[in-house]
Amino acid sequence: MIKKRVFKTKDEVEVTFEWPVDDDIDVISLVADFNQWEVKPMSLNKRTKTFKYKVRLGKNQNYQFRYLLNDNVWENDPDADSLVENDFGSKNSLLSTY
């Protein structure tokens, strides 16, 4: 799930990435072009039973990302704005802040 919070007085959008807790998943990381494709672990929120990652991104941009589950399985976000081809023969999730 992706939540976007647009700031009217700033050129930023606060984006919260969420993935539901699953017994088969120990760790989830967000890997994106806005963090130079570095693996960034998502925080476990026990109250909401989700893994979360929050970031502020520039308005009027497109960003590519994927989730890395248990350090070996790549997943796209079903709530992404779109999917785009990547250089590895698969697709990345696309987030739009327009």
Side-chain angles (χ1 to χ4, degrees):
M1 177 186 294
I2 301 170
K3 296 179 184 176
K4 300 176 193 175
R5 181 176 166 213
V6 178
F7 296 98
K8 294 182 180 181
T9 59
K10 296 182 181 180
D11 287 334
E12 295 178 326
V13 176
E14 183 179 84
V15 181
T16 304
F17 298 89
E18 294 184 334
W19 192 274
V21 170
D22 183 311
D23 290 340
D24 296 332
I25 301 171
D26 297 318
V27 62
I28 298 179
S29 299
L30 181 70
V31 185
D33 58 2
F34 58 81
N35 66 13
Q36 291 71 46
W37 298 105
E38 289 186 32
V39 176
K40 299 289 184 178
M42 297 174 70
S43 300
L44 175 61
N45 185 319
K46 291 181 182 179
R47 184 180 56 79
T48 62
K49 296 181 179 157
T50 58
F51 290 91
K52 287 187 175 187
Y53 186 90
K54 191 181 288 190
V55 65
R56 287 191 181 192
L57 300 171
K59 281 184 182 176
N60 303 320
Q61 302 288 322
N62 286 320
Y63 299 96
Q64 294 184 39
F65 71 97
R66 293 192 87 184
Y67 298 107
L68 182 58
L69 286 60
N70 291 334
D71 297 323
N72 65 1
V73 177
W74 291 102
E75 289 288 342
N76 285 314
D77 194 314
D79 293 332
D81 295 312
S82 186
L83 296 174
V84 294
E85 296 289 330
N86 63 31
D87 294 336
F88 302 100
S90 58
K91 295 185 179 185
N92 293 337
S93 298
L94 184 74
L95 170 75
S96 177
T97 59
Y98 285 91

